[in-house]
Amino acid sequence: MSLTRREFLEAMVAASAAGFSMNAWAGEKGSWRPAESDMYDLPKFGNVSLLHYTDCHAQLKPVHFREPDVNIGVGDMQGKPPVLAGEKMLEYFDIEPGTPLAHAVTHLDFKYAAEKYGRLGGFSHLSTLVQKLRAERPNSLLLDGGDTWQGSATSLWTNGQDMVDAQKLLGVDIMVGHWEFTFGDERVMEIIENDFKPNNIDFLAQNVEDRDWGDPVFDPYTIREMNGVPVAVIGQAFPYTSVANPDYMFPDWSFGIRDEHMQRMIDECREKGAKVVAILSHNGMVTDMEMARRLRDVDIIMGGHTHDAVPGAMEIENAGGEKTLVTNAGSNGKFLGVMDLDVTDSGIRDYKFTLLPVFSNLLEADAEMEEHIRKVREPYEDKLNEELAVTEGVLYRRGNFNGTFDEVIMDAMIKEMDAEVALSPGFRWGISVLPGAPITFEELMTQTATTYSETQRNEMSGEQLKNALEDVANSIFNANPYHHRGGDMVRTSGIEYTIDPHESMGSRISDMHINGEPVDPDKSYVVAGWANVHEPLDTDPVWDVVASYLREHDTISPGKPYLPKLKNVEGDPGLARSS
Protein backbone atom coordinates (compact mmCIF):
# COMPACT_ATOMS: atom_id res chain seq x y z
CA MET A 1 0.00 0.00 0.00
CA SER A 2 1.33 3.45 -0.89
CA LEU A 3 0.25 6.39 1.27
CA THR A 4 0.09 9.94 0.04
CA ARG A 5 2.04 12.53 2.00
CA ARG A 6 -1.11 13.83 3.73
CA GLU A 7 -2.34 10.31 4.52
CA PHE A 8 1.02 9.47 6.05
CA LEU A 9 0.96 12.61 8.23
CA GLU A 10 -2.56 11.79 9.39
CA ALA A 11 -1.51 8.23 10.22
CA MET A 12 1.46 9.49 12.23
CA VAL A 13 -0.77 11.87 14.19
CA ALA A 14 -3.22 9.06 14.93
CA ALA A 15 -0.42 6.72 16.00
CA SER A 16 0.99 9.37 18.30
CA ALA A 17 -2.42 9.96 19.88
CA ALA A 18 -2.71 6.22 20.51
CA GLY A 19 0.61 6.24 22.35
CA PHE A 20 2.55 4.46 19.59
CA SER A 21 6.15 5.50 18.97
CA MET A 22 8.25 4.66 15.92
CA ASN A 23 11.47 5.31 17.84
CA ALA A 24 13.16 2.61 19.90
CA TRP A 25 13.60 3.39 23.57
CA ALA A 26 15.66 1.48 26.11
CA GLY A 27 13.88 2.81 29.19
CA GLU A 28 10.63 4.21 30.49
CA LYS A 29 9.12 7.08 28.52
CA GLY A 30 8.24 8.86 31.73
CA SER A 31 11.91 9.06 32.70
CA TRP A 32 12.27 12.36 30.82
CA ARG A 33 11.44 14.87 33.51
CA PRO A 34 9.90 18.30 32.99
CA ALA A 35 12.24 21.28 32.83
CA GLU A 36 12.76 23.19 36.06
CA SER A 37 11.03 26.56 36.16
CA ASP A 38 14.21 28.24 37.42
CA MET A 39 16.52 26.79 34.75
CA TYR A 40 17.68 30.25 33.67
CA ASP A 41 17.95 31.77 37.13
CA LEU A 42 21.74 31.67 37.18
CA PRO A 43 23.15 33.27 40.36
CA LYS A 44 25.54 36.11 39.68
CA PHE A 45 29.16 35.24 40.45
CA GLY A 46 32.31 37.34 40.36
CA ASN A 47 32.88 40.59 38.49
CA VAL A 48 33.63 39.52 34.89
CA SER A 49 31.28 37.53 32.64
CA LEU A 50 31.83 36.21 29.13
CA LEU A 51 28.77 34.99 27.20
CA HIS A 52 29.62 32.72 24.29
CA TYR A 53 27.74 31.10 21.42
CA THR A 54 29.28 29.52 18.34
CA ASP A 55 28.54 27.67 15.10
CA CYS A 56 24.90 28.72 14.84
CA HIS A 57 25.16 28.24 11.06
CA ALA A 58 22.64 30.94 10.27
CA GLN A 59 19.75 29.29 12.10
CA LEU A 60 17.55 32.23 13.04
CA LYS A 61 14.62 29.97 13.96
CA PRO A 62 14.55 27.27 16.69
CA VAL A 63 15.70 23.84 15.51
CA HIS A 64 16.07 20.20 16.36
CA PHE A 65 19.69 19.03 16.22
CA ARG A 66 20.69 15.48 17.15
CA GLU A 67 24.07 15.10 18.83
CA PRO A 68 26.35 12.23 17.71
CA ASP A 69 26.19 8.59 18.71
CA VAL A 70 29.59 7.92 17.09
CA ASN A 71 32.37 10.28 18.18
CA ILE A 72 35.58 8.24 18.36
CA GLY A 73 38.76 9.49 20.01
CA VAL A 74 42.35 8.51 19.28
CA GLY A 75 45.67 8.94 21.06
CA ASP A 76 45.57 10.93 24.28
CA MET A 77 42.08 12.19 23.39
CA GLN A 78 40.38 8.81 23.69
CA GLY A 79 37.91 8.60 26.55
CA LYS A 80 37.92 12.34 27.26
CA PRO A 81 35.71 15.25 26.26
CA PRO A 82 34.83 16.16 23.64
CA VAL A 83 34.98 12.67 22.09
CA LEU A 84 32.28 11.09 24.23
CA ALA A 85 28.75 10.08 23.30
CA GLY A 86 25.50 9.18 24.99
CA GLU A 87 25.61 7.85 28.53
CA LYS A 88 29.38 8.31 28.73
CA MET A 89 29.00 12.06 28.23
CA LEU A 90 26.42 12.16 31.02
CA GLU A 91 28.60 10.07 33.35
CA TYR A 92 31.70 12.20 32.81
CA PHE A 93 29.92 15.42 33.72
CA ASP A 94 27.62 13.86 36.33
CA ILE A 95 24.47 14.85 34.45
CA GLU A 96 21.27 13.12 35.47
CA PRO A 97 19.65 11.07 32.69
CA GLY A 98 16.17 12.08 31.71
CA THR A 99 16.78 15.80 32.18
CA PRO A 100 16.59 18.66 29.66
CA LEU A 101 20.39 19.04 29.71
CA ALA A 102 20.80 15.29 29.08
CA HIS A 103 18.65 15.67 25.97
CA ALA A 104 20.49 18.78 24.80
CA VAL A 105 23.97 17.22 24.94
CA THR A 106 23.23 13.65 23.74
CA HIS A 107 21.37 11.70 21.06
CA LEU A 108 19.58 9.51 23.62
CA ASP A 109 15.96 8.69 22.68
CA PHE A 110 16.15 11.71 20.44
CA LYS A 111 12.69 11.56 18.88
CA TYR A 112 10.76 11.25 22.12
CA ALA A 113 12.85 13.79 24.05
CA ALA A 114 12.72 16.26 21.15
CA GLU A 115 8.94 16.01 21.07
CA LYS A 116 8.78 16.50 24.84
CA TYR A 117 11.11 19.49 25.16
CA GLY A 118 10.58 21.12 21.78
CA ARG A 119 13.08 22.94 19.60
CA LEU A 120 16.21 24.67 20.81
CA GLY A 121 17.88 27.90 19.78
CA GLY A 122 16.44 30.63 17.62
CA PHE A 123 17.85 34.15 17.79
CA SER A 124 14.67 35.57 19.31
CA HIS A 125 14.93 33.21 22.27
CA LEU A 126 18.70 33.54 22.49
CA SER A 127 18.23 37.31 22.57
CA THR A 128 15.85 37.05 25.53
CA LEU A 129 18.36 34.92 27.42
CA VAL A 130 21.26 37.25 26.63
CA GLN A 131 19.28 40.26 27.80
CA LYS A 132 18.36 38.54 31.06
CA LEU A 133 21.94 37.56 31.82
CA ARG A 134 23.30 40.98 30.87
CA ALA A 135 20.83 42.68 33.19
CA GLU A 136 22.18 40.50 35.99
CA ARG A 137 25.82 40.80 34.84
CA PRO A 138 26.46 44.43 33.87
CA ASN A 139 29.14 45.02 31.23
CA SER A 140 29.41 41.35 30.26
CA LEU A 141 30.85 40.61 26.81
CA LEU A 142 28.98 38.61 24.14
CA LEU A 143 31.37 36.52 22.05
CA ASP A 144 30.44 35.00 18.68
CA GLY A 145 32.68 32.04 17.84
CA GLY A 146 32.07 32.13 14.09
CA ASP A 147 30.25 30.02 11.48
CA THR A 148 27.38 32.45 11.88
CA TRP A 149 26.75 33.76 8.36
CA GLN A 150 26.53 30.38 6.56
CA GLY A 151 24.12 27.45 6.77
CA SER A 152 20.68 28.64 5.67
CA ALA A 153 18.86 29.61 2.52
CA THR A 154 18.19 33.17 3.67
CA SER A 155 21.81 33.70 4.62
CA LEU A 156 22.92 32.52 1.20
CA TRP A 157 20.31 34.60 -0.62
CA THR A 158 21.03 37.78 1.39
CA ASN A 159 24.80 37.37 1.18
CA GLY A 160 24.96 36.96 4.95
CA GLN A 161 23.14 40.21 5.72
CA ASP A 162 20.27 38.54 7.60
CA MET A 163 22.75 37.18 10.15
CA VAL A 164 24.83 40.36 10.35
CA ASP A 165 21.74 42.38 11.21
CA ALA A 166 20.74 39.73 13.77
CA GLN A 167 24.20 39.95 15.37
CA LYS A 168 23.82 43.70 15.73
CA LEU A 169 20.41 43.31 17.36
CA LEU A 170 21.75 40.59 19.66
CA GLY A 171 24.52 42.88 20.86
CA VAL A 172 27.58 40.89 19.78
CA ASP A 173 30.83 42.48 20.96
CA ILE A 174 33.52 40.27 19.40
CA MET A 175 33.61 37.69 16.61
CA VAL A 176 35.98 35.30 14.85
CA GLY A 177 35.43 33.53 11.54
CA HIS A 178 35.55 30.48 9.33
CA TRP A 179 32.64 29.88 6.91
CA GLU A 180 32.26 33.66 6.83
CA PHE A 181 35.28 33.72 4.52
CA THR A 182 33.42 31.69 1.87
CA PHE A 183 31.40 34.79 1.03
CA GLY A 184 34.66 36.15 -0.34
CA ASP A 185 37.27 38.56 0.99
CA GLU A 186 35.56 41.67 -0.38
CA ARG A 187 32.24 40.83 1.28
CA VAL A 188 33.91 40.09 4.63
CA MET A 189 35.71 43.44 4.63
CA GLU A 190 32.55 45.24 3.51
CA ILE A 191 30.64 43.89 6.53
CA ILE A 192 33.46 44.77 8.91
CA GLU A 193 33.64 48.35 7.64
CA ASN A 194 29.94 49.08 7.12
CA ASP A 195 28.23 46.98 9.81
CA PHE A 196 30.67 46.01 12.53
CA LYS A 197 32.84 49.07 13.09
CA PRO A 198 29.91 51.52 13.43
CA ASN A 199 28.44 49.15 16.04
CA ASN A 200 31.69 48.58 17.99
CA ILE A 201 31.88 44.91 16.98
CA ASP A 202 35.43 43.58 16.71
CA PHE A 203 36.23 40.93 14.07
CA LEU A 204 39.49 39.42 15.33
CA ALA A 205 42.08 36.97 13.98
CA GLN A 206 45.70 36.87 15.05
CA ASN A 207 46.42 34.05 12.60
CA VAL A 208 45.34 35.49 9.23
CA GLU A 209 48.04 37.23 7.25
CA ASP A 210 48.59 38.75 3.83
CA ARG A 211 49.91 35.89 1.72
CA ASP A 212 52.72 37.93 0.15
CA TRP A 213 53.80 40.33 2.87
CA GLY A 214 52.82 38.65 6.12
CA ASP A 215 50.91 41.71 7.35
CA PRO A 216 47.90 41.12 9.61
CA VAL A 217 44.57 41.18 7.81
CA PHE A 218 42.46 41.69 10.97
CA ASP A 219 43.03 43.12 14.43
CA PRO A 220 44.58 40.35 16.55
CA TYR A 221 43.00 41.33 19.85
CA THR A 222 40.96 43.86 21.77
CA ILE A 223 41.10 44.92 25.41
CA ARG A 224 37.79 45.85 27.00
CA GLU A 225 37.32 47.12 30.55
CA MET A 226 34.65 45.19 32.44
CA ASN A 227 33.67 46.58 35.85
CA GLY A 228 37.13 48.05 36.25
CA VAL A 229 38.91 44.88 35.04
CA PRO A 230 40.93 45.03 31.77
CA VAL A 231 40.00 41.91 29.77
CA ALA A 232 41.85 40.94 26.60
CA VAL A 233 40.23 38.78 23.92
CA ILE A 234 42.47 37.40 21.16
CA GLY A 235 40.90 36.03 17.97
CA GLN A 236 41.82 32.70 16.39
CA ALA A 237 40.16 32.02 13.02
CA PHE A 238 39.90 28.48 11.65
CA PRO A 239 43.54 27.76 10.77
CA TYR A 240 42.82 25.41 7.84
CA THR A 241 40.31 27.59 6.01
CA SER A 242 42.36 27.70 2.82
CA VAL A 243 42.55 23.88 2.79
CA ALA A 244 39.01 22.99 3.81
CA ASN A 245 37.32 25.71 1.71
CA PRO A 246 38.02 27.26 -1.72
CA ASP A 247 41.01 29.56 -1.37
CA TYR A 248 40.13 31.33 -4.63
CA MET A 249 37.53 33.15 -2.51
CA PHE A 250 40.28 34.82 -0.45
CA PRO A 251 43.39 34.50 -2.64
CA ASP A 252 45.52 37.03 -0.77
CA TRP A 253 45.06 35.59 2.73
CA SER A 254 47.15 33.00 4.52
CA PHE A 255 45.87 30.97 7.50
CA GLY A 256 47.59 28.86 10.16
CA ILE A 257 47.66 28.04 13.87
CA ARG A 258 50.66 30.31 14.56
CA ASP A 259 51.39 29.52 18.19
CA GLU A 260 54.46 31.75 18.38
CA HIS A 261 52.55 34.78 17.21
CA MET A 262 49.70 33.92 19.58
CA GLN A 263 52.15 33.84 22.51
CA ARG A 264 53.46 37.27 21.49
CA MET A 265 49.91 38.61 21.46
CA ILE A 266 49.27 37.15 24.93
CA ASP A 267 52.45 38.75 26.25
CA GLU A 268 51.54 42.05 24.63
CA CYS A 269 48.09 42.02 26.25
CA ARG A 270 49.63 41.33 29.64
CA GLU A 271 52.11 44.18 29.17
CA LYS A 272 49.17 46.48 28.46
CA GLY A 273 47.64 45.56 31.81
CA ALA A 274 45.14 42.82 30.98
CA LYS A 275 44.10 40.94 34.14
CA VAL A 276 42.26 38.32 32.07
CA VAL A 277 43.42 36.95 28.71
CA ALA A 278 40.88 34.91 26.75
CA ILE A 279 41.19 33.39 23.29
CA LEU A 280 38.04 33.31 21.17
CA SER A 281 38.87 30.36 18.95
CA HIS A 282 37.60 28.47 15.94
CA ASN A 283 40.26 25.77 16.09
CA GLY A 284 38.05 22.89 17.24
CA MET A 285 38.07 21.69 20.82
CA VAL A 286 40.80 19.04 20.72
CA THR A 287 43.07 21.56 18.99
CA ASP A 288 42.18 24.17 21.61
CA MET A 289 43.19 21.81 24.41
CA GLU A 290 46.53 21.18 22.74
CA MET A 291 47.02 24.90 22.19
CA ALA A 292 46.33 25.45 25.90
CA ARG A 293 49.15 23.01 26.75
CA ARG A 294 51.63 24.83 24.50
CA LEU A 295 50.94 28.43 25.58
CA ARG A 296 51.58 30.21 28.85
CA ASP A 297 49.73 32.96 30.69
CA VAL A 298 46.39 32.45 28.93
CA ASP A 299 43.36 32.05 31.18
CA ILE A 300 40.57 30.85 28.91
CA ILE A 301 40.01 29.45 25.43
CA MET A 302 36.36 29.61 24.37
CA GLY A 303 36.16 27.57 21.22
CA GLY A 304 34.07 26.40 18.30
CA HIS A 305 34.23 24.70 14.89
CA THR A 306 33.76 21.07 15.93
CA HIS A 307 30.22 21.59 17.34
CA ASP A 308 31.08 19.92 20.63
CA ALA A 309 28.36 20.40 23.24
CA VAL A 310 30.54 20.07 26.34
CA PRO A 311 28.76 20.98 29.60
CA GLY A 312 31.86 21.83 31.59
CA ALA A 313 35.15 23.71 31.42
CA MET A 314 38.23 21.54 30.91
CA GLU A 315 41.16 22.56 33.10
CA ILE A 316 44.37 22.12 31.09
CA GLU A 317 47.86 22.51 32.54
CA ASN A 318 49.56 25.07 30.35
CA ALA A 319 53.22 25.68 29.49
CA GLY A 320 53.58 27.95 32.51
CA GLY A 321 52.44 25.23 34.90
CA GLU A 322 49.10 26.93 35.56
CA LYS A 323 45.55 26.15 34.45
CA THR A 324 43.88 27.25 31.22
CA LEU A 325 40.13 26.76 30.98
CA VAL A 326 38.86 25.36 27.66
CA THR A 327 35.17 25.41 26.72
CA ASN A 328 33.00 24.74 23.68
CA ALA A 329 29.39 25.86 23.29
CA GLY A 330 27.91 23.38 20.80
CA SER A 331 26.20 24.52 17.62
CA ASN A 332 23.06 25.69 15.85
CA GLY A 333 22.18 28.21 18.55
CA LYS A 334 21.34 25.40 20.99
CA PHE A 335 23.54 26.73 23.80
CA LEU A 336 24.91 29.81 25.47
CA GLY A 337 28.11 29.34 27.45
CA VAL A 338 28.37 31.53 30.55
CA MET A 339 31.84 32.03 32.04
CA ASP A 340 31.69 33.96 35.33
CA LEU A 341 35.04 35.05 36.78
CA ASP A 342 36.08 36.39 40.17
CA VAL A 343 39.03 38.61 39.26
CA THR A 344 41.36 40.46 41.61
CA ASP A 345 44.45 42.58 40.95
CA SER A 346 46.49 39.38 40.85
CA GLY A 347 44.24 37.66 38.28
CA ILE A 348 41.43 35.10 38.34
CA ARG A 349 40.67 33.83 41.82
CA ASP A 350 37.76 31.55 40.95
CA TYR A 351 35.30 30.79 38.16
CA LYS A 352 31.96 29.19 37.38
CA PHE A 353 31.06 27.91 33.93
CA THR A 354 27.53 26.98 32.86
CA LEU A 355 26.39 25.67 29.49
CA LEU A 356 22.78 26.79 29.16
CA PRO A 357 20.54 25.04 26.61
CA VAL A 358 18.31 27.54 24.82
CA PHE A 359 14.88 25.86 24.96
CA SER A 360 12.51 27.92 22.84
CA ASN A 361 9.49 26.66 24.81
CA LEU A 362 10.95 28.09 28.04
CA LEU A 363 12.14 31.48 26.79
CA GLU A 364 9.85 34.11 25.33
CA ALA A 365 10.77 35.43 21.91
CA ASP A 366 12.30 38.91 21.90
CA ALA A 367 9.88 41.05 19.90
CA GLU A 368 12.48 43.17 18.07
CA MET A 369 14.49 40.14 16.96
CA GLU A 370 11.31 38.29 16.00
CA GLU A 371 10.28 41.17 13.77
CA HIS A 372 13.69 41.17 12.09
CA ILE A 373 13.41 37.45 11.41
CA ARG A 374 9.88 37.85 10.03
CA LYS A 375 10.94 40.63 7.66
CA VAL A 376 14.05 38.91 6.36
CA ARG A 377 12.16 35.68 5.67
CA GLU A 378 9.03 37.26 4.18
CA PRO A 379 10.22 37.46 0.55
CA TYR A 380 11.21 33.78 0.60
CA GLU A 381 8.45 32.14 2.68
CA ASP A 382 6.80 30.25 -0.18
CA LYS A 383 10.09 28.74 -1.31
CA LEU A 384 11.25 27.96 2.22
CA ASN A 385 8.01 26.24 3.17
CA GLU A 386 7.71 23.99 0.11
CA GLU A 387 7.11 20.45 1.38
CA LEU A 388 9.26 18.07 -0.66
CA ALA A 389 8.43 14.76 1.04
CA VAL A 390 7.63 13.32 4.47
CA THR A 391 10.20 11.39 6.50
CA GLU A 392 9.26 8.19 8.30
CA GLY A 393 12.34 8.34 10.54
CA VAL A 394 14.64 10.87 12.17
CA LEU A 395 16.81 12.69 9.65
CA TYR A 396 20.15 13.88 11.04
CA ARG A 397 23.75 14.35 9.98
CA ARG A 398 26.14 14.70 12.94
CA GLY A 399 28.36 11.69 13.71
CA ASN A 400 31.75 10.41 12.59
CA PHE A 401 30.20 8.45 9.72
CA ASN A 402 27.02 8.55 7.65
CA GLY A 403 23.84 10.18 8.96
CA THR A 404 20.32 9.59 7.68
CA PHE A 405 20.06 12.96 5.93
CA ASP A 406 23.40 12.21 4.25
CA GLU A 407 21.91 8.98 2.96
CA VAL A 408 19.00 10.89 1.39
CA ILE A 409 21.39 13.31 -0.30
CA MET A 410 23.52 10.50 -1.70
CA ASP A 411 20.53 8.39 -2.82
CA ALA A 412 19.40 11.42 -4.76
CA MET A 413 22.80 11.96 -6.37
CA ILE A 414 23.17 8.32 -7.42
CA LYS A 415 19.72 8.26 -9.01
CA GLU A 416 19.59 11.74 -10.51
CA MET A 417 23.22 11.74 -11.68
CA ASP A 418 23.40 8.06 -12.73
CA ALA A 419 26.46 7.22 -10.63
CA GLU A 420 27.85 4.07 -9.03
CA VAL A 421 29.20 5.86 -5.99
CA ALA A 422 28.27 9.03 -4.16
CA LEU A 423 30.51 11.07 -1.89
CA SER A 424 29.18 13.85 0.34
CA PRO A 425 31.19 16.14 2.62
CA GLY A 426 31.24 15.32 6.33
CA PHE A 427 29.95 18.73 7.34
CA ARG A 428 28.75 18.92 10.94
CA TRP A 429 26.03 21.47 10.23
CA GLY A 430 22.49 20.66 9.13
CA ILE A 431 19.43 20.41 11.38
CA SER A 432 17.40 17.30 12.23
CA VAL A 433 13.86 16.43 11.13
CA LEU A 434 11.52 14.30 13.25
CA PRO A 435 9.47 11.34 11.96
CA GLY A 436 6.17 12.30 10.38
CA ALA A 437 7.35 15.80 9.56
CA PRO A 438 7.57 17.18 6.05
CA ILE A 439 11.03 17.78 4.65
CA THR A 440 10.83 21.39 3.55
CA PHE A 441 13.08 23.11 1.07
CA GLU A 442 14.37 25.19 3.98
CA GLU A 443 15.45 22.06 5.85
CA LEU A 444 17.19 20.74 2.75
CA MET A 445 19.08 24.02 2.51
CA THR A 446 20.33 23.67 6.10
CA GLN A 447 22.22 20.60 4.82
CA THR A 448 23.52 22.05 1.57
CA ALA A 449 23.65 25.87 1.53
CA THR A 450 27.15 27.02 0.67
CA THR A 451 28.54 29.41 -1.93
CA TYR A 452 30.09 26.44 -3.77
CA SER A 453 27.51 23.62 -3.61
CA GLU A 454 27.67 22.65 -7.29
CA THR A 455 27.57 18.95 -8.14
CA GLN A 456 30.07 17.03 -10.19
CA ARG A 457 30.04 13.65 -11.94
CA ASN A 458 33.35 12.18 -12.90
CA GLU A 459 35.39 9.00 -12.91
CA MET A 460 37.75 8.02 -10.11
CA SER A 461 39.99 5.00 -9.92
CA GLY A 462 39.78 2.61 -7.00
CA GLU A 463 43.13 3.93 -5.84
CA GLN A 464 41.90 7.53 -5.94
CA LEU A 465 38.81 6.61 -3.91
CA LYS A 466 40.93 4.93 -1.25
CA ASN A 467 43.28 7.90 -1.11
CA ALA A 468 40.32 10.26 -0.70
CA LEU A 469 39.02 8.25 2.27
CA GLU A 470 42.50 8.02 3.77
CA ASP A 471 43.02 11.77 3.52
CA VAL A 472 39.81 12.62 5.36
CA ALA A 473 40.39 9.90 7.96
CA ASN A 474 43.86 11.31 8.64
CA SER A 475 42.31 14.66 9.49
CA ILE A 476 39.62 13.24 11.78
CA PHE A 477 41.53 10.46 13.52
CA ASN A 478 45.02 11.89 13.75
CA ALA A 479 46.70 11.40 17.13
CA ASN A 480 48.20 14.90 16.80
CA PRO A 481 45.42 17.42 17.61
CA TYR A 482 47.14 20.06 15.49
CA HIS A 483 46.53 17.96 12.39
CA HIS A 484 42.75 17.95 12.87
CA ARG A 485 40.79 19.94 10.31
CA GLY A 486 37.40 19.27 11.88
CA GLY A 487 34.31 17.79 10.30
CA ASP A 488 33.45 14.10 10.07
CA MET A 489 34.31 11.36 7.58
CA VAL A 490 33.26 11.90 3.99
CA ARG A 491 29.87 10.27 3.57
CA THR A 492 29.79 7.34 1.16
CA SER A 493 27.14 5.43 -0.75
CA GLY A 494 27.87 2.46 -2.98
CA ILE A 495 31.12 1.81 -1.06
CA GLU A 496 31.68 -0.49 1.88
CA TYR A 497 34.96 -0.40 3.78
CA THR A 498 36.77 -1.18 7.01
CA ILE A 499 38.48 1.51 9.05
CA ASP A 500 40.95 1.40 11.93
CA PRO A 501 40.96 4.93 13.40
CA HIS A 502 44.15 4.20 15.37
CA GLU A 503 46.28 3.35 12.33
CA SER A 504 48.48 5.85 10.47
CA MET A 505 48.01 7.68 7.17
CA GLY A 506 47.52 5.23 4.30
CA SER A 507 46.72 2.28 6.57
CA ARG A 508 43.36 3.14 8.10
CA ILE A 509 41.14 2.08 5.18
CA SER A 510 40.93 -1.51 3.96
CA ASP A 511 38.60 -4.14 2.48
CA MET A 512 36.83 -1.70 0.14
CA HIS A 513 33.91 -2.99 -1.93
CA ILE A 514 31.71 -1.31 -4.56
CA ASN A 515 28.40 -2.97 -5.33
CA GLY A 516 29.59 -6.07 -3.51
CA GLU A 517 32.77 -6.46 -5.53
CA PRO A 518 36.29 -5.80 -4.19
CA VAL A 519 37.57 -2.42 -5.35
CA ASP A 520 40.07 -2.66 -8.18
CA PRO A 521 42.68 0.11 -7.69
CA ASP A 522 43.09 0.45 -11.46
CA LYS A 523 39.41 0.39 -12.42
CA SER A 524 37.43 3.60 -12.98
CA TYR A 525 34.14 4.17 -11.18
CA VAL A 526 31.48 6.79 -11.85
CA VAL A 527 31.32 9.04 -8.80
CA ALA A 528 28.85 11.80 -7.90
CA GLY A 529 29.91 14.50 -5.44
CA TRP A 530 29.44 18.15 -4.51
CA ALA A 531 31.22 21.11 -2.88
CA ASN A 532 34.44 21.06 -4.89
CA VAL A 533 37.02 23.27 -3.15
CA HIS A 534 39.49 23.43 -6.03
CA GLU A 535 37.67 25.37 -8.75
CA PRO A 536 34.26 26.95 -9.38
CA LEU A 537 31.88 24.76 -11.38
CA ASP A 538 28.99 25.67 -13.68
CA THR A 539 26.70 22.80 -12.72
CA ASP A 540 23.47 22.26 -10.80
CA PRO A 541 23.69 22.94 -7.06
CA VAL A 542 23.14 19.85 -4.97
CA TRP A 543 19.92 21.20 -3.43
CA ASP A 544 18.30 21.19 -6.89
CA VAL A 545 19.33 17.57 -7.39
CA VAL A 546 18.01 16.45 -4.00
CA ALA A 547 14.82 18.52 -4.24
CA SER A 548 14.02 16.96 -7.61
CA TYR A 549 14.50 13.49 -6.11
CA LEU A 550 12.36 14.22 -3.05
CA ARG A 551 9.51 15.64 -5.11
CA GLU A 552 9.21 12.22 -6.75
CA HIS A 553 8.52 10.60 -3.36
CA ASP A 554 5.58 11.03 -1.02
CA THR A 555 7.56 9.58 1.85
CA ILE A 556 11.21 8.82 2.63
CA SER A 557 12.09 5.83 4.79
CA PRO A 558 15.59 6.41 6.18
CA GLY A 559 17.05 3.22 7.55
CA LYS A 560 20.05 2.82 9.77
CA PRO A 561 22.81 4.86 8.12
CA TYR A 562 25.85 3.05 6.83
CA LEU A 563 28.55 2.43 9.39
CA PRO A 564 31.82 0.98 8.10
CA LYS A 565 33.33 -2.01 9.83
CA LEU A 566 35.34 -0.59 12.73
CA LYS A 567 38.58 -2.08 14.07
CA ASN A 568 40.22 -1.54 17.49
CA VAL A 569 37.41 0.58 18.91
CA GLU A 570 35.99 -1.86 21.44
CA GLY A 571 34.99 -0.02 24.59
CA ASP A 572 35.51 3.45 23.10
CA PRO A 573 33.26 5.79 25.12
CA GLY A 574 32.58 7.79 21.98
CA LEU A 575 30.91 4.80 20.34
CA ALA A 576 27.32 4.59 21.53
CA ARG A 577 26.03 2.95 18.35
CA SER A 578 26.70 -0.74 17.83
CA SER A 579 28.90 -1.57 14.88
Side-chain angles (χ1 to χ4, degrees), residues 377-397:
R377 291 171 57 87
E378 189 173 34
Y380 312 110
E381 284 288 357
D382 289 345
K383 183 67 172 174
L384 295 171
N385 294 327
E386 180 190 0
E387 296 181 5
L388 302 171
V390 172
T391 178
E392 296 179 2
V394 176
L395 294 180
Y396 65 91
R397 169 176 282 164

Side-chain angles (χ1 to χ4, degrees), residues 1 136 141 176 209 243 262 281 288 333 345 431 549 577:
M1 179 179 69
E136 299 162 350
L141 287 178
V176 295
E209 300 176 349
V243 177
M262 175 66 83
S281 168
D288 283 337
D345 286 342
I431 69 169
Y549 170 82
R577 177 178 157 195

Side-chain angles (χ1 to χ4, degrees), residues 490-510:
V490 59
R491 279 44 178 144
T492 62
S493 183
I495 299 179
E496 295 181 343
Y497 64 96
T498 297
I499 181 169
D500 185 342
H502 299 279
E503 270 290 353
S504 57
M505 175 65 178
S507 301
R508 291 185 179 90
I509 307 296
S510 61

Side-chain angles (χ1 to χ4, degrees), residues 66-71 396-403 406 426-428 487-489 491:
R66 181 186 184 273
E67 301 295 336
D69 59 0
V70 181
N71 200 18
Y396 65 91
R397 169 176 282 164
R398 176 72 177 93
N400 283 163
F401 302 100
N402 286 24
D406 299 300
F427 297 141
R428 291 187 172 185
D488 287 308
M489 272 298 291
R491 279 44 178 144

Side-chain angles (χ1 to χ4, degrees), residues 10 30 74-75 83 89 195 252 382 442 456 469 522 539 553:
E10 291 171 348
V74 296
V83 282
M89 176 69 81
D195 292 284
D252 298 326
D382 289 345
E442 178 174 22
Q456 59 188 105
L469 294 181
D522 298 320
T539 57
H553 295 76

Side-chain angles (χ1 to χ4, degrees), residues 1 75 82 129 157 188 355 366 369 374 438 540:
M1 179 179 69
L129 180 56
W157 296 336
V188 171
L355 186 69
D366 173 64
M369 185 70 78
R374 185 195 67 77
D540 291 334

Side-chain angles (χ1 to χ4, degrees), residues 417 453-457 529 536-542 544:
M417 300 171 66
S453 292
E454 288 75 23
T455 53
Q456 59 188 105
R457 181 182 185 273
L537 300 175
D538 185 20
T539 57
D540 291 334
V542 70
D544 280 355

